[in-house]
Amino acid sequence: PIPFVTGHSQDFDASGLSLTDRDLFPVIAMLQKLQHVKSVDLTGNHALTQDSIAPLLARLAEGPGSDMLRLSFRSCLSIGQTSVDKLSGLLPTFVSLRQLDLSQICFSRANSVTLAQFVAAHPCLAHLNLAGTGFGKLGDRSAFCFSLVASSLSLVSLDLSWNTLDKEGLVALGKGLSSSATLERLFVAGCSAKSPNFRDQPIEYFLELLAKNQSLRFLDLSMNHIDFRGALIIEDALDLHEKLRE
C-alpha cells in the first residue's frame, strides 16, 4: 500500500500506478481529516479524469495543501479542461509550492495567462515544468506571458520544451532572462517556430539576448532549427557568459 494511505507519510506519491477515478476517491475523502500534505505526485496516471482531479484540487485548497511543496500532474492526459480551469484558479492558494510539473497538460490561452501571473507573483516556486502544454500558443499575449514568467524572482529551473514559441515570445523570454538573477537551468528544446524563408529563425532573436544573462548554468537548445548563423550567435554569447557550462 501507498505510505500516504496508511498514514506513514505526508507525501502522496502515486507516480505511474495507473490509478483510476475510483482509486482516487478514497484519498480525497481522507484529506478531510488531514492538516498537512507535503506533496502530490500523480505523474503518468493517464486514466484519471476531471471527475476525481477537480475535487482533489478543491479539497487540497481547503487547507491541507497550504504548505504543499510539490505538485505533479505530468502526463495525466485525461484530466480535462474543467480540471485545468480549477487548477488555474486554485494555484495561488498553494503558497509554499516549490515544484510544479504540468508537462503534457493542455492549457488554454486564458489559463496560460493566469498561470504566468501566478509564476510571476509566487514567492518561492523554484522548479516549473511546462513542457508540451501549448504554453507558447498565446497569440498577442505571448510577449506578455513570457515576460511575466521570466520576471520570477524565485525560479531556478524552467522547462518550456516542445511548445511552439514565436519571435515575440522568444524575445520576451530573452529580455526577461537578461535581468534574472536566480534561473540556473532552462530547457527550450523544440520550441522555435520555423522561419518560412529559412532565414532569421525565431530562436536567433533569443540567442542574441543570451549574453546579457549571467545566472544560467545549463541550457537545452536542441531541435530548434539552429544553422551556422545561430551557431555563431551562440559562440559570441558564450564568450560573454561566465557561468553557462552545459
Side-chain angles (χ1 to χ4, degrees):
I2 301 173
F4 178 83
V5 175
T6 60
H8 292 88
S9 175
Q10 293 181 337
D11 300 302
F12 180 36
D13 184 358
S15 173
L17 294 184
S18 301
L19 299 182
T20 64
D21 290 338
R22 182 173 295 183
D23 297 322
L24 202 55
F25 289 144
V27 177
I28 297 171
M30 281 182 55
L31 293 177
Q32 286 183 315
K33 301 179 180 180
L34 298 180
Q35 294 182 335
H36 304 288
V37 175
K38 292 299 184 183
S39 68
V40 173
D41 188 349
L42 293 172
T43 297
N45 286 279
H46 306 304
L48 294 177
T49 73
Q50 61 192 24
D51 291 343
S52 61
I53 295 296
L56 172 69
L57 289 168
R59 191 61 55 83
L60 286 170
E62 289 174 359
S66 61
D67 57 357
M68 183 167 57
L69 301 177
R70 181 171 181 262
L71 178 62
S72 175
F73 289 118
R74 180 185 181 95
S75 298
C76 291
L77 305 178
S78 303
I79 67 173
Q81 196 58 48
T82 298
S83 295
V84 177
D85 292 342
K86 175 74 75 173
L87 175 61
S88 297
L90 293 178
L91 276 175
T93 65
F94 304 136
V95 295
S96 300
L97 203 61
R98 291 187 56 81
Q99 298 182 46
L100 178 61
D101 190 341
L102 301 175
S103 52
Q104 309 304 318
I105 304 300
C106 186
F107 270 71
S108 67
R109 182 181 300 190
N111 286 329
S112 295
V113 173
T114 301
L115 177 61
Q117 293 170 332
F118 161 77
V119 173
H122 201 280
C124 54
L125 183 65
H127 305 276
L128 177 62
N129 190 340
L130 297 176
T133 58
F135 190 75
K137 298 178 180 179
L138 299 169
D140 58 357
R141 305 293 280 171
S142 178
F144 172 71
C145 285
F146 284 107
S147 294
L148 284 175
V149 170
S151 71
S152 168
L153 299 178
S154 60
L155 274 184
V156 175
S157 175
L158 174 62
D159 192 341
L160 294 170
S161 300
W162 309 111
N163 294 298
T164 303
L165 278 62
D166 58 15
K167 172 186 171 183
E168 289 72 22
L170 285 165
V171 168
L173 180 63
K175 288 182 177 179
L177 288 178
S178 299
S179 57
S180 174
T182 61
L183 193 66
E184 297 181 359
R185 299 175 64 84
L186 177 63
F187 302 80
V188 286
C191 278
S192 178
K194 195 169 184 178
S195 173
N197 59 7
F198 301 103
R199 296 180 62 87
D200 298 324
Q201 301 289 356
I203 191 65
E204 294 174 6
Y205 294 91
F206 169 79
L207 296 175
E208 288 175 351
L209 295 164
L210 184 60
K212 297 181 179 180
N213 169 272
Q214 292 301 311
S215 65
L216 283 178
R217 297 177 182 272
F218 175 95
L219 176 62
D220 185 353
L221 289 167
S222 57
M223 306 296 289
N224 273 305
H225 315 295
I226 297 175
D227 57 14
F228 71 93
R229 289 177 290 267
L232 289 174
I233 298 173
I234 293 175
E235 182 181 8
D236 289 340
L238 291 178
D239 283 341
L240 299 173
H241 208 296
E242 299 179 354
K243 297 182 179 179
L244 188 57
R245 291 293 181 266
E246 296 182 70

